[in-house]
Amino acid sequence: MNISVIGTGYVGLVSGACFAQMGNSVTCVDIDKKKIKSLKKGVIPIYEPGLEDMVLENYKQGTLDFTTDAATAVAKAKVAFIAVGTPMGEDGSADLQYVLAVAKSIGQTMQQYLVVVDKSTVPVGTAEKVKAAIQVELDARGVDIAFDVVSNPEFLKEGAAIEDFMKPDRVVIGAESQKALDVMHDLYAPFMKSHDRFIGMDVKSAEMTKYAANAMLATKISFMNEIANICERVGADVNQVRHGIGSDGRIGYSFIYPGCGYGGSCFPKDVQALAKTSKDHGYVPRILDAVEAVNYDQKSVMSNKVIARFGEDLIGMTFAICGLAFKPETDDMREASSLTIIRELTKRGAKVMAYDPKAMHEASLHYLKDIPSRDLSSQKLPIGTEGDIITYVDSKYEALKESDALILVTEWQEFRSPDFDEMKKLLKNAVFFDGRNQFKKERMDEMGFEYFQIGV
């Protein structure tokens, strides 16, 4: 099947590569000429396990191509995916300008019946706006070409997106016509050979499903973090509580690990967008507002523990930060808890030794570029402001050298079994703030660490 994917960000690139892997002819479109040129050279702009190999393989075989020519890509396509960004506005709403701009271009260039797919995460009612935008352009051209707009929300976990796409839990399609449903079922059939996980529904319900799913998962995270904060105050151990409630099949163990709060491109944006949509329709979403408020406060929990231990004046102190990305197996720094922790410490005069296996480039280039930094790693990082408030290094042990304490933020696998004797040797003080509750407190106490967890 001929497919065009407009937008080569995280969702667009993963979707395009996976559809090509199943033998479809896929053209990924982007207005960024430099990005397209880099993709043709095999330079992948994001880190996602397995993605680079899949892109290179299918580009070499000719099943995957990249272009800035949207008109040609759309004209030959049977299905056109809209996979551009929907950034969050100041009021929490999703900005649809890029989605509607793509819809307009589709209406200006389509030549035959086309299934237009909203793959971007968009508010309920967006498909109607996309349909109207396309129809305006068709009317302006004076042509009568049939088309359908469907909603196909993505449920990809960063760090496991390829596996999620190739072996989906479910494929949700919202459509107005059986013809569009049939086209989408044929497209996804190769991904569901062992069991048909295709779920057809109306368009608005499909748009709502994505928001509801992410809001539910975010709710579990904030709920468990709230329980952790209560445990800490009453003398209970949230790690034991988690085992106690997780064994209940109605609750389960997923998303009930206490930590520094959720981040990334989905949960923060989607919870706020759903809350904004709700308020726009006259309903105050009290649970969603609470979920967001708890998460906002949770990102300061670890820095508050550091301040409680060392005081408000941190001048002359250095802290090792292990883990910058919002979660393991990604370089995504959006809404990462590490950003709050680093800013809270540095504004009190502290310096930071930072290490992350994948996210240091993103951190130095975008998210922490305003803080004076230096690069002692081998990655040749782009430094926005030269200085030594933040020092980027090549390993977790390099970060510990002469640091007053370790703060573990992201639970990368390489942090799970460290050499504790080496850690104590390198640190000025054997002080360990564990933002992911990776280890048992009793064991850490026995080894001579002053060990701080969340909810204990």
Side-chain angles (χ1 to χ4, degrees):
M1 193 179 296
N2 281 326
I3 300 168
S4 64
V5 179
I6 304 172
T8 59
Y10 184 84
V11 173
L13 198 53
V14 170
S15 299
C18 290
F19 282 130
Q21 185 73 12
M22 286 301 189
N24 296 289
S25 178
V26 180
T27 303
C28 289
V29 182
D30 205 290
I31 61 173
D32 187 336
K33 293 180 180 179
K34 184 178 179 181
K35 190 175 187 181
I36 292 298
K37 187 176 181 180
S38 295
L39 285 167
K40 285 177 173 287
K41 291 180 178 178
V43 179
I44 309 302
I46 57 175
Y47 174 72
E48 178 64 37
L51 178 60
E52 182 176 358
D53 290 342
M54 186 176 286
V55 168
L56 294 175
E57 174 189 343
N58 284 281
Y59 182 68
K60 184 177 180 180
Q61 291 180 354
T63 53
L64 180 62
D65 198 9
F66 303 99
T67 185
T68 57
D69 184 2
T72 301
V74 170
K76 66 181 181 180
K78 186 173 184 178
V79 180
F81 285 86
I82 300 177
V84 293
T86 54
M88 184 171 60
E90 290 184 6
D91 62 354
S93 61
D95 186 346
L96 297 178
Q97 63 172 310
Y98 304 114
V99 171
L100 296 179
V102 171
K104 181 178 179 179
S105 70
I106 289 173
Q108 292 170 343
T109 56
M110 61 185 289
Q111 302 295 324
Q112 58 187 353
Y113 172 77
L114 184 66
V115 177
V116 180
V117 184
D118 282 337
K119 195 67 173 172
S120 303
T121 300
V122 292
V124 177
T126 299
E128 293 177 344
K129 295 178 181 179
V130 169
K131 184 177 181 179
I134 294 173
Q135 191 61 56
V136 165
E137 298 304 320
L138 292 176
D139 292 344
R141 291 167 58 193
V143 296
D144 183 15
I145 303 174
F147 69 96
D148 279 295
V149 177
V150 309
S151 174
N152 174 212
E154 55 85 14
F155 302 100
L156 307 177
K157 298 186 295 291
E158 291 193 49
I162 297 296
E163 183 177 0
D164 287 347
F165 201 105
M166 299 299 287
K167 299 177 181 178
D169 292 326
R170 76 282 205 198
V171 174
V172 173
I173 302 293
E176 294 179 331
S177 76
Q178 188 60 47
K179 182 177 182 179
L181 278 174
D182 290 343
V183 170
M184 296 303 292
H185 191 277
D186 289 346
L187 178 60
Y188 276 104
F191 300 91
M192 302 180 290
K193 285 296 185 182
S194 60
H195 183 67
D196 193 344
R197 297 177 173 87
F198 190 90
I199 305 173
M201 59 181 69
D202 67 86
V203 175
K204 288 186 176 181
S205 295
E207 291 171 331
M208 185 65 178
T209 296
K210 168 67 175 187
Y211 281 106
N214 280 351
M216 172 61 79
L217 297 176
T219 298
K220 291 185 73 174
I221 294 171
S222 280
F223 174 81
M224 203 62 204
N225 282 332
E226 184 138 280
I227 292 298
N229 294 332
I230 297 171
C231 284
E232 200 165 307
R233 286 157 177 79
V234 301
D237 183 338
V238 72
N239 300 307
Q240 297 183 43
V241 173
R242 179 178 61 80
H243 282 295
I245 66 173
S247 59
D248 186 329
R250 297 169 299 174
I251 298 173
Y253 288 103
S254 297
F255 290 86
I256 63 167
Y257 288 80
C260 304
Y262 59 76
S265 63
C266 293
F267 288 4
K269 178 169 68 74
D270 292 355
V271 170
Q272 292 183 44
L274 182 56
K276 178 64 167 57
T277 298
S278 176
K279 291 169 185 174
D280 287 346
H281 287 77
Y283 181 78
V284 177
R286 289 170 290 178
I287 291 177
L288 296 180
D289 285 346
V291 167
E292 180 63 22
V294 169
N295 191 63
Y296 179 85
D297 290 342
Q298 196 68 20
K299 291 184 178 182
S300 298
V301 165
M302 291 314 295
S303 55
N304 289 341
K305 288 179 180 292
V306 173
I307 294 164
R309 167 62 176 79
F310 291 103
E312 281 283 345
D313 184 359
L314 300 178
I315 294 174
M317 304 198 72
T318 300
F319 296 92
I321 304 286
C322 284
L324 297 174
F326 88 94
K327 63 177 286 188
E329 299 300 329
T330 182
D331 60 354
D332 196 339
M333 289 287 297
R334 285 172 287 188
E335 303 285 339
S337 302
S338 62
L339 299 174
T340 300
I341 295 169
I342 289 171
R343 293 191 181 280
E344 288 299 315
L345 299 183
T346 56
K347 77 180 185 182
R348 290 172 171 82
K351 294 185 178 182
V352 167
M353 301 287 286
Y355 169 68
D356 186 284
K358 296 296 179 181
M360 294 196 299
H361 187 276
E362 281 293 297
S364 62
L365 179 62
H366 297 297
Y367 297 93
L368 297 170
K369 64 181 180 180
D370 59 308
I371 300 178
S373 305
R374 59 178 178 168
D375 178 22
L376 296 186
S377 75
S378 58
Q379 296 187 23
K380 298 181 180 179
L381 301 174
I383 298 298
T385 307
E386 294 289 342
D388 64 351
I389 303 300
I390 301 175
T391 300
Y392 297 97
V393 296
D394 266 334
S395 75
K396 55 183 178 288
Y397 296 117
E398 285 286 327
L400 298 179
K401 290 179 180 178
E402 297 303 306
S403 290
D404 292 278
L406 163 64
I407 306 170
L408 177 62
V409 184
T410 314
E411 64 276 30
W412 286 91
Q413 285 189 4
E414 68 173 85
F415 299 153
R416 293 183 181 178
S417 298
D419 184 331
F420 292 109
D421 290 334
E422 184 69 12
M423 287 171 58
K424 288 177 65 177
K425 187 187 302 181
L426 293 171
L427 284 165
K428 284 184 183 178
N429 310 297
V431 182
F432 185 177
F433 296 90
D434 185 353
R436 296 299 174 183
N437 290 12
Q438 292 274 82
F439 308 104
K440 291 185 179 298
K441 190 174 189 313
E442 296 79 6
R443 181 189 176 198
M444 301 304 293
D445 290 342
E446 289 175 1
M447 288 190 292
F449 281 92
E450 189 178 350
Y451 184 62
F452 298 85
Q453 288 184 303
I454 291 175
V456 179

